[in-house]
Amino acid sequence: MTKDTAKHILIVEDEEYLRDLYLQVLQSEGYEVEIAANGEEAYEKMSQKQYGLVILDVILPKMDGLQVLDKLNNEGKQKNDNIVLLTNLGQDLVVAKALDFGVRGYMVKSDYTPEELVAEVRGYLGDGDVKSEL
Amino acid sequence: MGFQDHLSLLIVILSSFINFFITVLVYLRNPRSATHKIFSLLGLSILFWLVLTYLSYRPWDTPTTLFLIRLSTFFAPLICLFFFLLAHTFPSAKLKLTRKRFTLLAIITSVVMILLISPFAFTELAYVNNFPSPTPGFGIIPFVLYVILTISAAIFILFKRLRHSIGVEKQQIKIVLLGILLMPGLIILTNVIPVTLFNNNTLVPLTPLYPLVFQLLTAYAIVKHRLMDIRFIIVRSIAYILLLLFIALGYIAILFDIAYFVNRGRPSIEALQDLVVPTLLALFFAISFQQLRRVFEKITDRIFYRDRYDSNELLWSLSRIMASTLYLTDLSNQILEKLLSEMRINYGSIVLVRDKSIFWVGSSGEVSKHPFNNADMYSLVYDSYHTTKHNEHIFIFEELPEGKIKRLMRKQDLTIVIPLTVRHELIGGLVLGQKASGEIYSSEDIDLLKIVAPEIAVAVRNALSYEEIKKFNITLENEVDRATHRLRKANKRLKELDHLKDEFVSIASHELRTPMTAIKSYLWMAINQPNQEIKEPLKRYLNISYNSTERLIRLVNDMLTVSRIERNKIELKLAPLNINEVVQLVFDELKITAQEKHIAFKFEHPKKKISVMGDKEKLREVVQNLVGNALKFTPENGKIIIETSEKGDTSQISVTDTASGIPKESLPDLFKKFSKIEYSYSKHSSQPGTGLGLYISKQIVSLHNGDIKVQSEVGVGSTFTVSLPLYKRKGGGKE
């Protein structure tokens, strides 16, 4: 993973306001951010490119997060260890299943302030220098 | 005395004894009944006549012999009188003759008797061939007339009655008439035929036995309350008479030849040869007695009694039927068919009663010809059980007096009604129609029915129970099937509902939290945007909005947790952990808040690890909740102490505050959902809670097999104590 791809983040979020928020917050932190509004788009992008981090919602139009994970898993094109679930779903089962697919972790959207989210992302990417830029 | 004399004496003694015995027996049976009395008097008259006649044949001097002859004939009118009276009265218990007629009869009899004892009847005694022969005078004429009149009147009455009577009475009269007719029959067989054809008077001394035949049969007709089939008597009588005749003839031959051999004393080869054949014949007959008897029985049976059945065999086959089936219909059909075919009955039913009516009928025979009325039938069966005659429960049409029952039986065309009872409980009845031959039921038939009725009752009851059990089983099976089906359906529905609820809770929380996330995030952005300073009161408004959003999110989170707990959907990720570490995390997190409120905030714990098996995240939630509450309610400059310790088998975390305390009456409700106390406190707090924190904490601790307790004093403060089982591993190593 190069330094460049390490800074590439894909946000998969169907809710427009939240998508804009995450895009704005993370871009202002200096990350290269791409967005996907549904599962299919996310799958397309993830098959074409290796991201440093994929923030994946679960409830999505066309293809939900778990289906995306399942498809990727079956194809074996990439390990899912660069994916973090970001959802407002509270079902332990969904989380357990996602973890079975090899995702690194999960966040409950409502529990995080934008600042805390950035901190989490930084933690996942193992990147210390972005914080100093803030 | 010669052989014949001995024989005569023997027969006279024998018949006298039997006569006397019967006379006394019949009299003692019912001393008040006219029939019984007359029969006894008749018996005594015959006895006197018999003895005197015998005596008159003994060798006396002439006057004595004459007197004895007169005396013996003196009793003859009495015999005739009583015979007539018997025929006239029989079988009634009261004399039917009017007093006037009776007196007249008595006078006539007395006249005849006086004439007989006088010299006018027998004037003198002459000897013909050395045999005493009295010379009759004119006095004998009334006697002869008297005899002819009374005897023929008696027989006429009997025949007339025979034509008009029915049932048992008819049978009785038949038997009496049989006895009367047998006498001349026997005399012809033993006296007339041998004497005239064979010139042999050997059997003449048997004559005194013949009245006995009449007496015995009449006694039987009087005494026995149920009679044998008349044909049976005739058949047997004929069989035995034929047998007697055969043996008698055999012996006659022997006696004849012995007499010839001894008296003439001329033994010759011819004579001896003549002797051999009859002797052999006699021996043959004697030896073949049983076989002959059987042959004659068989022949007579074949002629007269084609439909006789063997009681034992019938009982046995009925028992076998009853043992072979448990199906009520089969059972009833087979029993009835067997009974009807063997006893030659035209119709029969087994009826079962319940709740004062007939609820089941199984019939056989000429069913279509028989009316059936439920109420009448029930009434008959019921009465047959509750009416007792001779200690027997049975209605026999012929034996019933005219009345309701007889009328009902006639209406239903029934001859027999026997109740079927099991342990003194009436379960039904066996009803039978007439015999196909038109005869009455013999005592043999009745006895058999009485034996078989209780057996039928038990078998029917068993069959009934079996059917009930079978029906009950089917009902039960259906019921179970239905219930199972309902349960399955309900279960399926519940599963669906459960799934829907999960989905609903999940979606609802998701849908609620998504816009709240947007509000919260953008409020945060607004508050924390670096471009321009936000002035009061806008800053305060924004902060309130932000906090309220936070609170709403917490509420949704808590409700989600409660829903999980209540659906048992919560999964503990159990691992050994040190509770000091958990508490330390919370302590560190909330230290700043405490400082802000100037609260003395302390955490006191032993140096060593306190290990429990638990879900770290969930337990952290519990501690955070308790300490958070304490911070919320403790006023500025107050004090909060967190302590951990080991106590026996448990680890303890206690949180003591100096808040206002909780009233005792509110303590029981503290850990309930939306507990009023917590809620009201929350309301007045600067950081309102959701009313679910303590409830969730309690549930989580319970899932760890632990407990939360609270001690509180209003105005002093509260102590919340969490107890959890200690985790102990070999060697005491933890984590």
Side-chain angles (χ1 to χ4, degrees):
Chain A
M1 196 185 289
T2 64
K3 188 90 179 169
D4 271 2
T5 57
K7 288 207 171 189
H8 285 188
I9 296 173
L10 175 66
I11 294 168
V12 187
E13 173 62 65
D14 59 326
E15 189 76 18
E16 199 189 340
Y17 298 150
L18 291 180
R19 199 166 58 227
D20 288 350
L21 176 80
Y22 298 145
L23 182 67
Q24 192 190 323
V25 170
L26 290 174
Q27 271 178 346
S28 68
E29 287 293 318
Y31 293 107
E32 203 161 305
V33 184
E34 284 178 46
I35 52 168
N38 61 57
E40 266 180 22
E41 208 182 323
Y43 172 73
E44 293 292 316
K45 294 205 167 174
M46 285 162 83
S47 333
Q48 285 165 14
K49 189 174 171 183
Q50 181 75 19
Y51 294 94
L53 184 68
V54 178
I55 296 169
L56 181 66
D57 197 357
V58 174
I59 297 189
L60 293 166
K62 295 186 181 173
M63 194 195 284
D64 71 31
L66 288 180
Q67 283 173 313
V68 173
L69 287 174
D70 189 29
K71 210 164 176 185
L72 291 170
N73 212 41
N74 283 342
E75 287 167 5
K77 274 185 183 170
Q78 66 159 64
K79 287 181 192 170
N80 291 334
D81 59 357
N82 60 337
I83 301 172
V84 173
L85 288 186
L86 182 65
T87 177
N88 265 329
L89 266 184
Q91 278 169 304
D92 295 337
L93 275 175
V94 172
V95 174
K97 208 168 176 187
L99 291 173
D100 281 349
F101 285 129
V103 301
R104 282 186 72 184
Y106 85 99
M107 295 179 276
V108 175
K109 284 182 210 171
S110 62
D111 289 355
Y112 291 83
T113 61
E115 190 181 21
E116 286 164 347
L117 183 74
V118 170
E120 282 290 320
V121 169
R122 203 178 287 140
Y124 281 119
L125 287 171
D127 194 336
D129 42 347
V130 189
K131 198 180 178 180
S132 55
E133 286 171 22
L134 192 76
Chain B
M1 284 204 297
F3 169 78
Q4 214 157 348
D5 295 329
H6 285 293
L7 186 66
S8 297
L9 182 62
L10 189 74
I11 285 169
V12 167
I13 291 168
L14 185 71
S15 50
S16 301
F17 267 107
I18 296 172
N19 182 315
F20 189 70
F21 177 73
I22 300 166
T23 302
V24 172
L25 185 89
V26 171
Y27 179 73
L28 290 178
R29 258 303 171 103
N30 192 354
R32 285 185 197 171
S33 161
T35 301
H36 288 63
K37 275 191 232 170
I38 294 167
F39 179 82
S40 302
L41 288 169
L42 177 65
L44 285 175
S45 312
I46 292 171
L47 183 63
F48 282 123
W49 173 75
L50 209 72
V51 173
L52 287 166
T53 306
Y54 171 75
L55 286 175
S56 69
Y57 285 103
R58 307 301 322 142
W60 313 96
D61 54 9
T62 307
T64 315
T65 305
L66 187 60
F67 173 72
L68 284 171
I69 288 171
R70 279 175 182 160
L71 199 60
S72 73
T73 39
F74 175 75
F75 281 97
L78 278 179
I79 296 174
C80 295
L81 173 70
F82 293 131
F83 179 64
F84 172 76
L85 285 176
L86 187 67
H88 196 270
T89 313
F90 178 84
S92 167
K94 272 188 180 171
L95 201 62
K96 285 179 175 171
L97 212 60
T98 57
R99 185 167 283 266
K100 220 169 151 186
R101 286 187 187 178
F102 184 74
T103 317
L104 185 70
L105 200 61
I107 292 167
I108 293 171
T109 310
S110 305
V111 171
V112 173
M113 283 171 80
I114 291 164
L115 275 173
L116 280 174
I117 200 88
S118 70
F120 301 116
F122 295 109
T123 48
E124 56 180 357
L125 193 68
Y127 285 89
V128 182
N129 293 335
N130 254 349
F131 202 75
S133 171
T135 315
F138 75 91
I140 204 85
I141 296 165
F143 169 67
V144 173
L145 284 173
Y146 180 85
V147 171
I148 291 168
L149 277 173
T150 47
I151 299 293
S152 49
I155 292 172
F156 174 74
I157 289 168
L158 284 173
F159 269 109
K160 195 177 145 195
R161 294 257 303 281
L162 182 70
R163 265 179 50 197
H164 294 291
S165 65
I166 50 156
V168 178
E169 196 178 304
K170 201 183 188 94
Q171 291 298 117
Q172 286 173 315
I173 293 167
K174 271 188 192 171
I175 289 172
V176 173
L177 279 170
L178 177 70
I180 293 166
L181 295 176
L182 269 179
M183 280 194 291
L186 286 168
I187 288 166
I188 290 165
L189 270 174
T190 57
N191 294 8
V192 180
I193 297 175
V195 173
T196 53
L197 294 184
F198 302 104
N199 197 23
N200 184 315
N201 61 351
T202 323
L203 293 176
V204 174
L206 291 172
T207 313
L209 287 173
Y210 303 150
L212 273 181
V213 174
F214 163 74
Q215 275 177 286
L216 278 169
L217 284 169
T218 308
Y220 174 74
I222 293 171
V223 171
K224 197 82 176 149
H225 111 267
R226 195 168 293 125
L227 297 157
M228 239 192 276
D229 191 334
I230 189 89
R231 275 187 303 168
F232 182 71
I233 299 170
I234 296 172
V235 166
R236 280 288 166 269
S237 305
I238 293 173
Y240 280 102
I241 289 164
L242 288 172
L243 183 69
L244 273 172
L245 196 64
F246 264 77
I247 291 175
L249 287 176
Y251 280 96
I252 287 164
I254 295 164
L255 287 169
F256 192 79
D257 284 317
I258 287 170
Y260 176 81
F261 182 72
V262 172
N263 295 339
R264 305 296 161 91
R266 287 205 309 244
S268 65
I269 290 179
E270 288 86 1
L272 282 171
Q273 277 171 343
D274 286 348
L275 211 57
V276 169
V277 180
T279 312
L280 282 177
L281 266 173
L283 280 172
F284 169 74
F285 287 133
I287 291 164
S288 60
F289 174 80
Q290 280 299 332
Q291 282 78 6
L292 270 175
R293 191 174 68 102
R294 239 171 261 160
V295 168
F296 283 120
E297 274 183 19
K298 220 179 240 177
I299 293 165
T300 48
D301 278 356
R302 197 168 294 163
I303 296 164
F304 295 98
Y305 237 120
R306 234 169 286 181
D307 52 352
R308 260 191 78 226
Y309 60 88
D310 183 324
S311 294
N312 288 331
E313 214 162 277
L314 179 54
L315 280 173
W316 189 74
S317 41
L318 284 171
S319 298
R320 206 174 41 178
I321 289 168
M322 287 184 244
S324 70
T325 180
L326 267 173
Y327 293 95
L328 190 55
T329 313
D330 289 0
L331 184 75
S332 150
N333 280 347
Q334 288 182 34
I335 289 173
L336 287 172
E337 268 163 30
K338 191 79 199 172
L339 266 181
L340 265 51
S341 66
E342 289 287 318
M343 292 179 131
R344 303 278 167 126
I345 303 168
N346 62 12
Y347 166 81
S349 276
I350 288 175
V351 299
L352 299 181
V353 300
R354 183 187 287 156
D355 300 332
K356 298 195 173 178
S357 76
I358 306 278
F359 77 95
W360 191 90
V361 181
S363 299
S364 194
E366 299 168 352
V367 182
S368 57
K369 287 185 188 168
H370 278 75
F372 183 88
N373 179 306
N374 197 318
D376 290 352
M377 192 62 97
Y378 176 77
S379 167
L380 279 175
V381 170
Y382 180 86
D383 288 345
S384 72
Y385 177 55
H386 288 92
T387 312
T388 311
K389 198 186 172 193
H390 302 291
N391 211 12
E392 284 168 3
H393 299 289
I394 184 168
F395 281 162
I396 303 167
F397 183 76
E398 289 87 359
E399 292 182 14
L400 287 169
E402 272 307 326
K404 178 193 159 205
I405 294 163
K406 196 156 187 161
R407 206 174 59 243
L408 286 180
M409 284 179 81
R410 195 176 286 126
K411 198 170 144 197
Q412 303 280 322
D413 200 4
L414 296 175
T415 307
I416 304 275
V417 177
I418 304 178
L420 297 176
T421 57
V422 176
R423 283 194 225 104
H424 304 296
E425 187 205 342
L426 180 69
I427 64 160
L430 171 66
V431 299
L432 299 170
Q434 292 170 347
K435 285 216 160 186
S437 58
E439 289 292 330
I440 64 156
Y441 284 76
S442 67
S443 53
E444 197 187 8
D445 296 335
I446 302 295
D447 286 343
L448 185 131
L449 290 172
K450 282 193 296 196
I451 291 167
V452 91
E455 288 179 35
I456 294 176
V458 170
V460 163
R461 162 47 67 87
N462 286 345
L464 214 53
S465 304
Y466 176 70
E467 299 220 331
E468 272 164 17
I469 290 168
K470 225 169 51 180
K471 256 185 231 163
F472 179 66
N473 271 351
I474 291 167
T475 319
L476 205 64
E477 252 168 50
N478 288 342
E479 206 53 52
V480 168
D481 281 351
R482 269 201 295 275
T484 312
H485 183 68
R486 280 200 296 269
L487 277 177
R488 282 212 185 99
K489 237 170 117 179
N491 193 36
K492 200 181 157 199
R493 181 79 191 130
L494 278 175
K495 274 182 181 162
E496 281 170 11
L497 283 174
D498 194 46
H499 183 68
L500 281 173
K501 194 183 165 196
D502 279 3
E503 217 167 71
F504 174 78
V505 170
S506 176
I507 299 293
S509 64
H510 178 264
E511 295 305 308
L512 282 169
R513 286 200 289 199
T514 300
M516 286 193 283
T517 308
I519 298 168
K520 176 186 166 176
S521 301
Y522 282 103
L523 278 170
W524 187 89
M525 293 286 271
I527 292 164
N528 292 289
Q529 50 81 32
N531 302 332
Q532 61 185 87
E533 200 192 339
I534 304 166
K535 286 175 188 158
E536 292 293 357
L538 184 60
K539 192 176 180 180
R540 196 164 71 88
Y541 299 160
L542 286 173
N543 275 328
I544 290 171
S545 304
Y546 181 80
N547 286 338
S548 297
T549 313
E550 278 277 80
R551 186 179 152 204
L552 201 55
I553 291 169
R554 272 208 309 280
L555 184 62
V556 172
N557 289 351
D558 281 356
M559 285 173 77
L560 201 59
T561 308
V562 167
S563 144
R564 272 191 214 138
I565 287 170
E566 289 182 350
R567 285 179 296 136
N568 285 327
K569 286 279 163 69
I570 204 149
E571 272 182 46
L572 296 180
K573 294 176 193 109
L574 291 174
L577 55 90
N578 180 359
I579 59 165
N580 289 335
E581 275 177 26
V582 176
V583 177
Q584 192 67 50
L585 277 172
V586 178
F587 183 78
D588 292 344
E589 206 178 317
L590 296 172
K591 211 157 44 180
I592 304 158
T593 319
Q595 278 168 10
E596 283 172 356
K597 281 185 86 174
H598 305 290
I599 288 170
F601 194 51
K602 280 184 191 166
F603 175 32
E604 290 171 0
H605 58 89
K607 283 248 165 71
K608 65 163 191 167
K609 287 180 179 175
I610 301 175
S611 289
V612 297
M613 182 62 92
D615 184 319
K616 195 171 179 178
E617 191 48 45
K618 299 273 179 340
L619 286 178
R620 200 186 66 84
E621 248 180 83
V622 172
V623 178
Q624 193 165 29
N625 191 274
L626 293 178
V627 180
N629 279 347
L631 279 170
K632 241 188 275 174
F633 302 126
T634 303
E636 296 216 341
N637 302 314
K639 200 164 97 180
I640 294 172
I641 299 168
I642 310 169
E643 271 182 295
T644 55
S645 62
E646 281 185 20
K647 200 174 182 182
D649 282 345
T650 59
S651 66
Q652 298 206 319
I653 307 163
S654 65
V655 181
T656 308
D657 61 42
T658 56
S660 53
I662 304 153
K664 238 179 198 150
E665 58 270 25
S666 303
L667 288 178
D669 294 330
L670 200 58
F671 294 99
K672 290 188 176 163
K673 260 188 283 183
F674 301 107
S675 133
K676 271 182 192 164
I677 177 88
E678 202 193 356
Y679 191 65
S680 63
Y681 273 100
S682 319
K683 261 175 142 177
H684 299 102
S685 164
S686 54
Q687 278 181 290
T690 59
L692 291 167
L694 283 177
Y695 172 77
I696 292 169
S697 297
K698 174 105 176 169
Q699 299 305 316
I700 290 172
V701 172
S702 292
L703 286 172
H704 285 84
N705 298 318
D707 198 11
I708 302 185
K709 287 204 168 110
V710 61
Q711 280 180 308
S712 185
E713 201 177 320
V714 177
V716 177
S718 313
T719 302
F720 285 81
T721 308
V722 177
S723 313
L724 293 165
L726 272 177
Y727 174 67
K728 281 178 183 165
R729 214 166 47 181
K730 248 187 193 172
K734 318 274 149 64
E735 280 186 276

